[in-house]
Amino acid sequence: MAKPRKEQSLARVQAVPWLIVILLIAACAWLGWRAFFHQEEGDPVASAMLAFEKQNSLTVFSSRFEVVAESVDKRGVLGVDLLESRQAAVIPATVEYRLDLSRMDRDRFEWDEASDTLDVILPALKISRPNLDEGSQTTFTEGAYVSRDASSDLARNNSRQAERKAAEFAKNPQVLAMARGAAKEAVRQNLAIPLQVAGYEDITVNVRFDGETPAD
């Protein structure tokens, strides 16, 4: 009868390494959940801040449009203009609108437990420098004779003018309104998963920018 006892003892010895592996996997899973998903119960603000914790900037809107620039070049001898050339260019431009998430500290989140409402206050959008797609521009040139220097000066002046006009267009109230709307929706989407993981599925999230009146 001693032989079956030896076999049973051997089976137990073989099971020990697998049990250790299972315990290690369970411990790693718990530590990972604790580090990345667990939040203090009853603190939706901490859960919301988790969504922005590892992001410095969030691009929320991109606007592509065309700007028209026109320049005139005059060249002459002894102060007398003998040659005049004109160049007009239609240049595509792209501008991006970004949120500076590094400014999203706890003071920008307001939690109303009575109504299960989280108010999020965003800083003003940052507008990128216009990116001119000069390779796709359309150019119209007029003049009896356009020298190489004149052509270079006209193109350079048009580029500067186009960048200035694009920067002004990017601040157009209608374009800014679309960018702000996109930013608010992006923030709501970024908060959805962390809040659901924390157990807040029926929460109302109101997003506004600095200076805007809170929603009723």
Side-chain angles (χ1 to χ4, degrees), residues 19 26-27 47 64-65 82 113 115 122 149 185 195 198 200 204:
L19 180 60
S47 300
R64 183 176 174 85
F65 48 89
L82 300 176
E113 187 173 358
S115 61
L122 303 177
D149 290 342
E185 184 59 28
L195 289 173
Y200 300 98
T204 299

Side-chain angles (χ1 to χ4, degrees), residues 124-140:
L125 287 173
K126 287 189 172 182
I127 305 175
S128 71
R129 180 177 177 177
N131 180 20
L132 301 180
D133 185 4
E134 295 179 283
S136 301
Q137 69 178 334
T138 303
T139 305
F140 307 90

Side-chain angles (χ1 to χ4, degrees), residues 33-151:
W33 173 83
R34 183 84 181 177
F36 295 101
F37 297 104
H38 176 70
Q39 296 293 328
E40 182 182 350
E41 190 173 332
D43 189 2
V45 172
S47 300
M49 291 180 67
L50 178 66
F52 306 122
E53 198 172 64
K54 296 182 179 180
Q55 301 183 69
N56 292 323
S57 178
L58 177 65
T59 300
V60 296
F61 190 72
S62 178
S63 178
R64 183 176 174 85
F65 48 89
E66 292 181 337
V67 290
V68 179
E70 185 175 355
S71 299
V72 176
D73 182 84
K74 295 181 179 181
R75 296 175 185 265
V77 179
L78 299 177
V80 179
D81 294 331
L82 300 176
L83 296 175
E84 179 177 308
S85 55
R86 185 187 305 270
Q87 186 181 88
V90 181
I91 307 176
T94 302
V95 176
E96 292 184 341
Y97 299 79
R98 303 186 182 99
L99 277 174
D100 182 6
L101 298 182
S102 65
R103 297 180 58 188
M104 296 299 296
D105 54 22
R106 199 176 186 89
D107 293 338
R108 291 189 172 274
F109 298 87
E110 298 177 0
W111 168 244
D112 184 358
E113 187 173 358
S115 61
D116 281 346
T117 301
L118 178 65
D119 288 332
V120 183
I121 306 171
L122 303 177
L125 287 173
K126 287 189 172 182
I127 305 175
S128 71
R129 180 177 177 177
N131 180 20
L132 301 180
D133 185 4
E134 295 179 283
S136 301
Q137 69 178 334
T138 303
T139 305
F140 307 90
T141 305
E142 294 180 355
Y145 173 74
V146 183
S147 65
R148 181 179 298 178
D149 290 342
S151 180

